[in-house]
């Protein structure tokens, strides 16, 4: 270390205060026990917390903190407290609109003498969000929002240090492996392998592949990041119809052959560093997002020749999370409360339109494509849209539970036709994977899906 | 049988010995104690089920810090934290009283808030947690070169932060 570094180190040690209290083993034991085999997250009630919620202690999903003059936003991984609930479930109406607000609420069941709360019997499905779209919680796990994806008959999601395979019938995590996502983005399943971005550094990127059935690691691929990666990266891994993986790797898009586990081709970018990538459903076009402080550019490349075909831009800061469908490209713009989802017909941002506002409250509202439709969740509406036209096929207001946020996101559709989403109810401190029965209009869309 | 998971050998000693330092790192990363506590709890809960392996590898703290940093980076990438960056830092007053300490902490957090998350993480790992460049790179999942680049940029930005130079060269006694 040089003198300046030593001075910085000395200052940090000198000024950083001692914590008001220590974390105890009991805190961790409570959390581990509540999460079940170490999955999900349940922060133990903070002693002395001034914003405890009833008997259930401090909440991560706590807009009530606004009362303190501070807007505190929920976590990327939601806190979970399994509570005994007396829930009045309602059948959704024909168009999927809930007939009443969700009414998940704490029942007369009081916390156990040990101070922990009672839990909903495992395996039981719980109707949530007023039964909109037939929503039933199949488990009480907590995963990173927008991390849910599916393949064949399984669900995959990550959170709290693990990548998990989830049985959609029971909600049980059937296997898991250590994993911490370095950048936002869903796992990508190609063949029998679940691919994730393992590390996303400035100099190199590693992809890891896991066996779909066992989650045993079967592959590791190093991808050079030319010119360094960007901190705004979100949605940097996509799969083409031929199974090739496309990775936004700084000033290049690296194309990885999952079979040989090698980077087989690189498309070098002259316009900047990519923060997101998507591949058209027919595999012919490549869409690349480049984000800067005040604008977002979408580049279209010919995937076959690597030739740049078009650049369009929109004002408004960070963007990314691209997905491509037959009719165009979807993505996000902005950050935080101002984040919103757009659809650009033909990948032309000058013709883009806003599909929905952002989720707010620190929650993601990202588009996903599955089962022939585009899905956009959040805390305001749950939408399915046509991948060909970008038009909403059905949109249903997500009820607020006692005036606080309920959330659906990361919708994915299994081969069985059942749809699943990550769900969170701030009021009831309830999170998990919800099974959905979307309105019939959602399955009537034309056009193929994309990456 | 109280339903409590069995405590791994040595886990309690580690928590008692290191949670204070880990919390202080968490405070530097997140800027508040509640988030710091959540960060540390998250990391320790993740370490719990694989504690035996971690201790055999003699790397429990490295692993815990890795989880903390990755969780922090994910929070910053995926959620809006509600923090409003301020263009102006609090005036740094003559030190020597309790208020000066609070001012210094606010100035420090304000300066850290102005760093991109990865630069902030490098500052905390390298200069507070006293991790080597290699350990920092391992925790952040990047190369040593990237750590050096982040550190250099962070120092440059901190250098330009009004009032921080005084804190680094003189400052207030704790």
């Amino acid at each position: 270390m040089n003198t300046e570094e030593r001075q910085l180190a000395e200052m940090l040690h000198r000024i950083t205060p001692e914590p008001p209290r220590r974390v105890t083993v009991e805190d961790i034991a409570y959390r581990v026990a509540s999460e079940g085999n170490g999955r999900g997250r349940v922060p133990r009630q903070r002693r002395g917390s001034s914003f405890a919620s009833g008997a259930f202690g401090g909440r991560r999903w706590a807009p009530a903190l606004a009362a303190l003059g501070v807007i505190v936003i929920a976590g990327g991984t939601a806190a979970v407290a399994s509570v005994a609930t007396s829930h009045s479930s309602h059948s959704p109406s024909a168009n999927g609109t809930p007939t009443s607000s969700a009414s998940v609420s704490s029942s007369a069941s009081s916390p156990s003498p040990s101070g922990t709360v009672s839990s909903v019997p495992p395996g039981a499905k719980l109707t949530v969000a007023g039964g909109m779209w037939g929503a039933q919680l199949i488990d009480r796990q907590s995963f990173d929002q927008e991390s849910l994806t599916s393949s064949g008959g399984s669900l995959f999601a990550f959170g709290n240090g693990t990548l998990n395979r989830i049985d959609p019938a029971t909600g049980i995590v059937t296997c898991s492996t250590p994993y911490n996502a370095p950048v936002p983005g869903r796992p990508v399943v190609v063949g029998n392998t679940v691919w994730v971005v393992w590390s996303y550094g400035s100099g190199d990127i590693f992809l890891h592949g896991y066996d779909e059935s066992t989650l045993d690691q079967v592959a590791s691929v190093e991808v050079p990041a030319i010119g360094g990666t960007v901190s705004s990266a979100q949605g940097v891994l996509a799969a083409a119809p031929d199974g090739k993986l496309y990775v936004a790797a700084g000033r290049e898009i690296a194309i990885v052959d999952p079979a040989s586990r090698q980077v087989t081709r690189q498309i070098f970018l002259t316009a900047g560093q990519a923060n997101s990538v998507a591949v058209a459903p027919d595999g012919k076009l490549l869409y690349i997002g480049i984000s800067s402080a005040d604008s977002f550019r979408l580049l279209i490349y010919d995937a076959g020749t690597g030739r740049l075909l078009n650049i369009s831009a929109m004002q408004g800061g960070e963007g990314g999370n691209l997905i491509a469908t037959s009719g165009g490209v979807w993505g996000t713009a902005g950050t935080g409360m101002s984040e919103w989802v757009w659809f650009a017909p033909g990948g032309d941002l000058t013709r883009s339109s806003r599909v929905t506002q952002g989720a707010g409250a620190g929650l993601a509202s990202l588009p996903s494509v599955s089962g022939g439709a585009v899905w956009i969740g959040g805390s305001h509406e749950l939408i399915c849209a046509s991948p060909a036209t970008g038009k909403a096929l059905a949109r249903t207001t997500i009820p607020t539970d006692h005036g606080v946020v309920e959330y659906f996101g990361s919708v994915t559709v299994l081969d069985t036709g059942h749809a699943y989403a990550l769900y969170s109810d701030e009021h009831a401190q309830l999170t998990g994977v919800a099974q959905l029965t979307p309105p019939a209009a959602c399955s009537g869309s034309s056009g193929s899906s994309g990456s | 049988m109280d339903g409590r998971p069995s405590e791994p050998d040595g886990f309690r000693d580690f928590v008692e010995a290191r949670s204070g330092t880990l919390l202080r790192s968490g405070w530097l990363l997140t800027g508040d104690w509640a988030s710091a506590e959540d960060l540390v709890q998250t990391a320790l809960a993740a370490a719990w089920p694989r504690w035996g392996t971690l201790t055999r590898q003699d790397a429990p703290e490295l692993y815990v810090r890795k989880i903390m940093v990755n969780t922090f980076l994910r929070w910053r990438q995926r959620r809006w934290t509600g923090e409003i960056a301020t263009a102006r830092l609090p005036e740094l007053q003559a030190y020597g009283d309790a208020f000066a300490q609070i001012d210094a902490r606010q100035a420090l957090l304000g300066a850290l808030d102005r760093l991109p998350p990865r630069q902030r993480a490098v500052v905390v790992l390298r200069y507070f947690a006293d991790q080597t460049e290699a350990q920092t790179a391992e925790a952040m999942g990047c190369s040593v070169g990237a750590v050096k680049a982040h550190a250099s940029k962070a120092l440059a930005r901190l250098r330009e932060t009004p009032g921080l130079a005084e804190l680094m060269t003189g400052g207030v006694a704790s």
Side-chain angles (χ1 to χ4, degrees):
Chain A
M1 283 192 195
N2 61 31
T3 301
E4 187 180 35
E5 290 176 309
R6 279 196 298 275
Q7 287 176 340
L8 174 60
E10 189 277 331
M11 178 193 69
L12 291 173
H13 284 97
R14 172 165 43 85
I15 294 179
T16 306
E18 288 296 323
R21 79 174 202 94
R22 298 296 176 93
V23 171
T24 67
V25 173
E26 285 67 33
D27 292 335
I28 311 303
Y30 172 87
R31 192 160 175 152
V32 170
S34 301
E35 291 161 357
N37 298 323
R39 300 183 195 98
R41 293 175 62 201
V42 183
R44 183 178 171 83
Q45 178 179 352
R46 295 176 189 141
R47 290 190 287 273
S49 170
S50 61
F51 45 92
S53 172
F56 303 120
R59 298 196 317 238
R60 284 299 175 283
W61 301 63
L65 281 177
L68 302 178
V70 181
I71 302 172
V72 173
I73 297 306
T77 48
V80 183
S82 295
V83 297
T85 59
S86 60
H87 184 85
S88 58
S89 62
H90 303 274
S91 299
S93 60
N95 65 358
T97 304
T99 52
S100 73
S101 171
S103 55
V104 178
S105 58
S106 56
S107 72
S109 304
S110 56
S112 65
S114 65
T116 61
V117 294
S118 305
S119 59
V120 176
K125 292 183 178 178
L126 178 69
T127 299
V128 292
M132 65 169 287
W133 290 24
Q136 287 190 312
L137 211 58
I138 63 169
D139 69 13
R140 315 291 186 269
Q141 309 279 353
S142 179
F143 303 106
D144 287 6
Q145 52 178 317
E146 302 296 343
S147 72
L148 185 68
T149 193
S150 65
S151 175
S154 293
L155 298 167
F156 300 91
F158 54 76
N160 197 36
T162 54
L163 169 67
N164 306 281
R165 179 172 179 263
I166 305 158
D167 180 347
T170 63
I172 292 172
V173 172
T174 55
C175 52
S176 63
T177 188
Y179 175 62
N180 282 287
V183 288
R186 299 179 180 88
V188 172
V189 185
V190 176
N192 297 321
T193 305
V194 182
W195 290 92
V196 296
V197 179
W198 177 258
S199 66
Y200 200 75
S202 293
D204 47 31
I205 298 165
F206 278 91
L207 305 181
H208 279 192
Y210 298 92
D211 181 88
E212 183 187 42
S213 300
T214 63
L215 290 187
D216 290 334
Q217 187 183 340
V218 294
S220 177
V221 179
E222 182 175 8
V223 177
I226 306 298
T229 56
V230 288
S231 60
S232 63
Q234 41 192 351
V236 299
L237 177 64
D242 63 2
K244 296 274 177 40
L245 298 168
Y246 286 70
V247 186
R251 287 184 173 273
E252 69 159 12
I253 299 298
I255 298 147
V256 175
D257 178 6
S260 65
R261 290 152 193 176
Q262 298 289 326
V263 175
T264 56
R265 207 172 131 226
Q266 293 159 288
I267 295 175
F268 296 97
L269 311 175
T270 55
Q273 293 157 290
N275 81 332
S276 182
V277 65
V279 187
D282 60 8
K284 293 180 179 175
L285 297 177
L286 188 59
Y287 300 100
I288 299 159
I290 294 178
S291 186
S292 63
D294 55 3
S295 68
F296 178 72
R297 285 176 291 167
L298 183 62
L299 283 62
I300 306 177
Y301 277 78
D302 184 314
T305 65
R307 191 164 60 92
L308 178 62
L309 301 177
N310 188 49
I311 299 180
S312 57
M314 65 165 61
Q315 298 297 311
E318 290 187 13
N321 302 295
L322 300 180
I323 63 168
T325 62
S326 58
V329 180
W330 308 66
T332 59
T335 56
M337 299 287 277
S338 66
E339 187 178 64
W340 47 279
V341 176
W342 48 262
F343 170 67
D348 181 359
L349 285 178
T350 62
R351 295 194 291 140
S352 65
S353 57
R354 183 179 296 221
V355 179
T356 183
Q357 66 187 106
L363 302 168
S365 176
L366 312 184
S368 61
V369 58
S370 185
V374 174
W375 310 85
I376 304 158
S379 56
H380 303 290
E381 292 179 305
L382 188 53
I383 299 172
C384 69
S386 164
T389 66
K391 301 290 185 190
L393 301 168
R395 58 196 316 158
T396 302
T397 300
I398 299 171
T400 54
D401 183 9
H402 296 77
V404 295
V405 166
E406 285 192 79
Y407 167 83
F408 286 102
S410 203
V411 177
T412 189
V413 182
L414 289 184
D415 292 348
T416 59
H418 288 119
Y420 295 84
L422 296 179
Y423 169 78
S424 172
D425 178 344
E426 181 176 326
H427 181 81
Q429 296 199 11
L430 195 61
T431 68
V433 176
Q435 181 178 314
L436 303 174
T437 306
C442 295
S443 59
S445 60
S446 61
S448 56
S449 57
S451 63
Chain B
M1 179 72 181
D2 60 2
R4 177 178 157 172
S6 61
E7 183 181 318
D9 287 343
F11 190 79
R12 181 174 295 273
D13 291 341
F14 178 84
V15 171
E16 289 176 352
R18 301 306 299 163
S19 74
T21 300
L22 293 172
L23 281 166
R24 293 176 79 203
S25 293
W27 182 82
L28 286 169
L29 286 170
T30 64
D32 70 87
W33 289 118
S35 298
E37 192 172 316
D38 192 15
L39 208 54
V40 173
Q41 281 194 27
T42 297
L44 289 172
W48 177 297
R50 48 190 74 93
W51 191 253
T53 304
L54 294 172
T55 51
R56 278 193 297 277
Q57 295 171 346
D58 201 25
E61 183 156 349
L62 188 62
Y63 179 83
V64 169
R65 289 195 182 280
K66 183 173 184 174
I67 299 286
M68 282 179 64
V69 166
N70 284 322
T71 303
F72 160 72
L73 291 174
R74 197 166 60 248
W75 284 355
R76 290 298 296 265
Q77 288 163 341
R78 194 49 275 153
R79 73 176 177 177
W80 181 62
T81 60
E83 295 164 336
I84 306 296
T86 176
R88 271 190 2 191
L89 292 170
E91 291 281 330
L92 294 181
Q93 317 226 340
Y95 299 121
D97 57 24
F99 292 109
Q101 281 192 30
I102 294 171
D103 286 342
R105 290 169 192 168
Q106 288 180 335
L108 173 60
L109 289 182
L112 293 174
D113 280 346
R114 299 173 77 177
L115 298 178
R118 285 184 168 273
Q119 290 181 22
R120 184 173 187 159
V122 166
V123 166
V124 174
L125 287 171
R126 281 283 291 131
Y127 304 120
F128 179 76
D130 300 322
Q131 303 286 291
T132 65
E133 288 173 337
Q135 289 170 327
T136 303
E138 164 68 17
M140 295 184 62
C142 64
S143 66
V144 170
V147 169
K148 289 179 179 176
H150 284 314
S152 173
K153 289 175 183 173
L155 278 167
R157 193 171 288 205
L158 292 174
R159 201 179 299 132
E160 294 167 357
T161 304
L164 206 69
E166 290 90 323
L167 280 178
M168 288 171 63
T169 54
V172 57
S174 57

